Amino acid sequence: MIQRVYEQASKSGAVEVIVATDDARIEAMPSVSRCAGRGLTSSEHESGTDRLQEVVRKLSLADTDIVVSVRVTGAGVHATRK
């Protein structure tokens, strides 16, 4: 399911798609380890938004960069590019 969400997000035209998780078992999964962008985050986060904030900080993203959080629970996401 993680691979499918990654592939759908990649079709969006985003410059980069990153899989962020606090679980080393997920990061080590073949479908995730093949992803160019992936990162292990702290397990102390209370929400996905907190996890996203850590990734933004680690990547030193600019205030003008657009960041979208897609959770695996949103596996029904279908990318549409206009």
Side-chain angles (χ1 to χ4, degrees), residues 11-26:
K11 292 177 185 177
S12 70
V15 172
E16 185 174 19
V17 175
I18 298 168
V19 175
T21 181
D22 65 345
D23 190 330
R25 296 171 300 173
I26 291 173

Side-chain angles (χ1 to χ4, degrees), residues 62-82:
D63 291 342
T64 55
D65 288 335
I66 298 171
V67 178
V68 178
S69 177
V70 178
R71 311 257 189 339
V72 170
T73 54
V77 171
H78 299 284
T80 303
R81 223 174 143 186
K82 294 183 180 185

